[in-house]
Amino acid sequence: METGRVNPAQTLEKTGISGLKSVHYNLLEPALVQAALQKGEGDLGKGGAFLVSTGEYTGRSPKDKFVVDEPSVKDSIWWENNPPMAMDAFEQLKKDMFAHMAGGEYFVQDLFGGSDPAYRLNTRVITELAWHSLFIRTMLRRPEAEELDTFTPEFTVVNCPTFKADPAKHGCRSDVIIAISFEQKLILIGGTEYAGENKKSVFSILNYLLPEKGVMPMHCSANHAIGDEQDTAVFFGLSGTGKTTLSADPNRILIGDDEHGWSDTTTFNFEGGCYAKTISLSEKAEPEIFATTSKFGTVIENMVYDKYTKELDFEDDSLTANMRCAYPLHYISNASETALGGQPKNIIMLTCDAFGVLPPIARLTPAQAMYHFLSGFTSKVAGTERGVTEPQPTFSTCFGSPFMPRRPEAYGALLRDKIASTGAKCWLVNTGWTGGAYGTGSRMPIKATRALLTAALDGSLNNAEFRKDANFGFDVPVSVPGVDDALLDPRSTWTDGEAYDANASKLVTMFSDNFGQYESHVSEDVLAIKIGA
């Protein structure tokens, strides 16, 4: 049985999947919520939100992601970061997964990865779970109904959580699998119900394809000034650093919260929705994001709630600290209808420093921007990956190494060239700890972070007095209206200055040791940067 709207030439039988009991093509949100409820996949929450638990896996499984070792990509994949899977192992995996799917009910969404028609990727996502279909329909760009009649997928994602991979047969690590074949244009996901794997697999594909077109793929949020698309800002950062929160500025237009491309003319969102963390989400601090948790079709993932009233508990992290909500962009009142902006005027690199060493904001030269982009320093926060229960300092090159199929230098060179050609200003913003390291200090006040960002984006921060940071050599403002001067000098926020110095020395050494891997690949101006001097 087949239902829904689809290009007749692109049914699943034409693409190698057969024997299914039923296939539902491009169902809209009401039908997907209804199907998910009928299948017992979750509960209907307040306002029509869909409440679901992902079971054992409540975060991504980066160690279970593989790229098929194929001739056309052999010399361009960053294999140290993307473990290879043999071609015959992938063929066996595909055969076994498709056989497992026989007789089942599946949901298909034909979507765009990217809001810029010049660069978007036609993506088909086939899911075993109805709510996964709702999730990916929310998270990618939705074609107009008539566009579906001629839609031809360029890449296909198949997600079957009940299929368990076999390391002995499939050349993988566990029963969880995310396998990407660039030649077959096929991604196979099995063994995990965590919905984020769906969207991140599409991000990984775009991260491989776009650099060949001169487009910089970015793990970032983005917004632009009201009435001026050319005043665009991008916010690099890993999960938990504030990309979603800080880009949702009511005084600016939201382009998107997580994944974007930077072409020669535009900054464009890859997605049609937002995937926001909800732990400690406050109606007072973030009213619009909070409001989405009780809107129809929002997917509420891994939140504890009252089974009778369906009231959500935003503080209970007993399932995971990585509790999230996925909602369409238009649920945010100041979201861009086109999800397009101009080339970035300001580049913000967000870091969550668990050492309590970095200042709340610093101005970077182009060479320093390159240094910190390749370093990608932050702290993994609880819940974003399996096994992470408290902040862990880490270096994730390009602020997104789990999603980077190519060598970091490929993305670094693109960023360097685009900064040089546009004259964009670069800022390093620490949303981590102040007054001490994790465990003794406190998180940077969001009010102060917002005030500093506003000053950077409106240009007033350029007129401030700056000092040279003794550890990293970048410029730090001495005083900014609305921000406690002491906060701008991290050492002064510690009760023990010597303890700060020891932590700073430790962090500087970590930076230097990590950057050694890039020294033979970067330009002289970046190589000349000396920290800790």
Side-chain angles (χ1 to χ4, degrees):
M1 179 185 71
E2 294 186 353
T3 61
R5 190 163 184 169
V6 65
N7 180 351
Q10 298 297 331
T11 59
L12 290 195
E13 285 73 10
K14 307 273 184 169
T15 58
I17 299 176
S18 61
L20 301 183
K21 177 183 177 182
S22 56
V23 183
H24 307 287
Y25 293 96
N26 297 305
L27 297 186
L28 302 183
E29 290 78 1
L32 289 169
V33 171
Q34 184 178 35
L37 290 171
Q38 289 174 340
K39 289 162 64 68
E41 295 176 359
D43 288 338
L44 192 65
K46 295 179 67 176
F50 189 75
L51 313 178
V52 67
S53 168
T54 62
E56 181 180 359
Y57 302 114
T58 57
R60 291 181 294 102
S61 300
K63 294 181 180 179
D64 295 304
K65 179 181 173 185
F66 296 82
V67 173
V68 181
D69 189 355
E70 297 162 316
S72 64
V73 301
K74 195 172 190 68
D75 296 330
S76 54
I77 295 295
W78 181 19
W79 293 113
E80 295 88 346
N81 190 58
N82 298 272
M85 173 176 282
M87 294 171 63
D88 58 351
F90 183 79
E91 287 299 324
Q92 187 64 52
L93 174 67
K94 181 173 68 170
K95 177 182 177 182
D96 292 345
M97 181 178 285
F98 288 3
H100 174 87
M101 293 167 62
E105 180 179 21
Y106 282 80
F107 300 82
V108 178
Q109 289 290 329
D110 292 327
L111 302 161
F112 297 133
S115 60
D116 189 333
Y119 300 107
R120 70 190 183 193
L121 181 73
N122 288 10
T123 306
R124 168 167 284 182
V125 184
I126 304 164
T127 62
E128 182 178 24
L129 297 172
W131 81 265
H132 272 193
S133 194
L134 173 65
F135 172 88
I136 201 63
R137 178 172 174 79
T138 298
M139 293 310 305
L140 292 186
R141 307 292 302 178
R142 297 166 287 279
E144 297 296 330
E146 58 272 14
E147 291 179 295
L148 295 174
D149 296 334
T150 57
F151 187 98
T152 299
E154 298 172 69
F155 269 77
T156 298
V157 179
V158 181
N159 190 322
C160 183
T162 60
F163 175 81
K164 306 297 182 183
D166 182 342
K169 292 176 64 179
H170 305 133
C172 52
R173 191 186 69 96
S174 73
D175 60 5
V176 174
I177 185 66
I178 303 99
I180 301 175
S181 168
F182 283 102
E183 287 192 359
Q184 296 192 36
K185 299 184 177 181
L186 179 65
I187 301 92
L188 303 178
I189 303 173
T192 173
E193 293 184 26
Y194 180 65
E197 300 289 10
N198 293 291
K199 84 183 207 90
K200 289 304 184 185
S201 67
V202 178
F203 187 31
S204 296
I205 297 164
L206 289 166
N207 276 349
Y208 183 79
L209 298 177
L210 289 178
E212 292 183 343
K213 301 177 181 179
V215 176
M216 175 71 185
M218 303 178 292
H219 186 209
C220 71
S221 56
N223 62 29
H224 68 72
I226 296 174
D228 185 2
E229 292 185 357
Q230 300 311 307
D231 184 6
T232 294
V234 300
F235 301 75
F236 285 105
L238 295 177
S239 297
T241 56
K243 292 196 317 302
T244 298
T245 298
L246 295 172
S247 58
D249 183 338
N251 298 311
R252 294 175 66 86
I253 300 297
L254 177 68
I255 300 172
D257 82 322
D258 197 36
E259 300 165 359
H260 294 79
W262 179 358
S263 75
D264 289 340
T265 56
T266 64
T267 299
F268 62 95
N269 193 354
F270 290 170
E271 301 181 303
C274 299
Y275 192 33
K277 295 192 74 172
T278 55
I279 187 168
S280 300
L281 182 64
S282 161
E283 184 175 15
K284 181 178 179 180
E286 300 174 81
E288 290 211 274
I289 296 177
F290 187 90
T292 69
T293 62
S294 59
K295 291 190 175 183
F296 181 79
T298 292
V299 175
I300 305 294
E301 192 179 57
N302 295 319
M303 288 192 70
V304 174
Y305 58 93
D306 186 287
K307 298 299 181 182
Y308 177 68
T309 66
K310 301 300 189 291
E311 289 284 345
L312 300 171
D313 190 329
F314 292 87
E315 302 301 327
D316 189 338
D317 63 355
S318 58
L319 291 178
T320 178
N322 194 35
M323 58 180 77
R324 290 180 181 263
C325 63
Y327 53 88
L329 270 169
H330 64 259
Y331 279 3
I332 302 298
S333 62
N334 64 327
S336 167
E337 292 184 6
T338 64
L340 293 168
Q343 296 195 71
K345 185 177 178 181
N346 284 280
I347 297 171
I348 314 297
M349 296 184 183
L350 299 167
T351 181
C352 175
D353 172 23
F355 284 86
V357 168
L358 294 176
I361 195 166
R363 184 174 61 188
L364 306 180
T365 66
Q368 289 171 335
M370 188 74 271
Y371 183 94
H372 285 278
F373 182 70
L374 286 176
S375 297
F377 169 72
T378 191
S379 302
K380 291 179 182 176
V381 296
T384 54
E385 291 184 10
R386 289 157 51 192
V388 178
T389 57
E390 62 181 43
Q392 296 179 0
T394 187
F395 292 88
S396 183
T397 186
C398 308
F399 294 98
S401 62
F403 326 118
M404 301 298 174
R406 296 179 181 271
R407 285 283 314 174
E409 295 81 21
Y411 307 104
L414 264 175
L415 181 68
R416 177 197 63 213
D417 294 346
K418 288 187 177 295
I419 290 174
S421 64
T422 62
K425 294 181 173 62
C426 300
W427 307 89
L428 182 70
V429 173
N430 175 25
T431 62
W433 273 259
T434 183
Y438 171 78
T440 58
S442 58
R443 280 304 285 266
M444 197 70 68
I446 191 170
K447 183 178 179 180
T449 300
R450 287 197 181 279
L452 291 167
L453 280 174
T454 297
L457 297 181
D458 68 20
S460 62
L461 190 56
N462 292 315
N463 301 320
E465 177 187 353
F466 286 83
R467 65 174 178 84
K468 194 73 69 176
D469 183 83
N471 297 301
F472 288 90
F474 41 49
D475 292 335
V476 180
V478 174
S479 181
V480 177
V483 179
D484 184 355
D485 288 354
L487 198 66
L488 296 167
D489 180 7
R491 192 178 191 275
S492 71
T493 66
W494 286 52
T495 56
D496 185 345
E498 291 185 358
Y500 170 86
D501 292 339
N503 250 25
S505 177
K506 181 179 179 181
L507 185 58
V508 163
T509 299
M510 289 178 66
F511 263 87
S512 297
D513 291 347
N514 174 74
F515 202 78
Q517 64 186 300
Y518 307 119
E519 288 182 349
S520 62
H521 301 282
V522 298
S523 56
E524 289 297 325
D525 58 339
V526 179
L527 195 59
I529 292 175
K530 300 295 182 184
I531 64 171

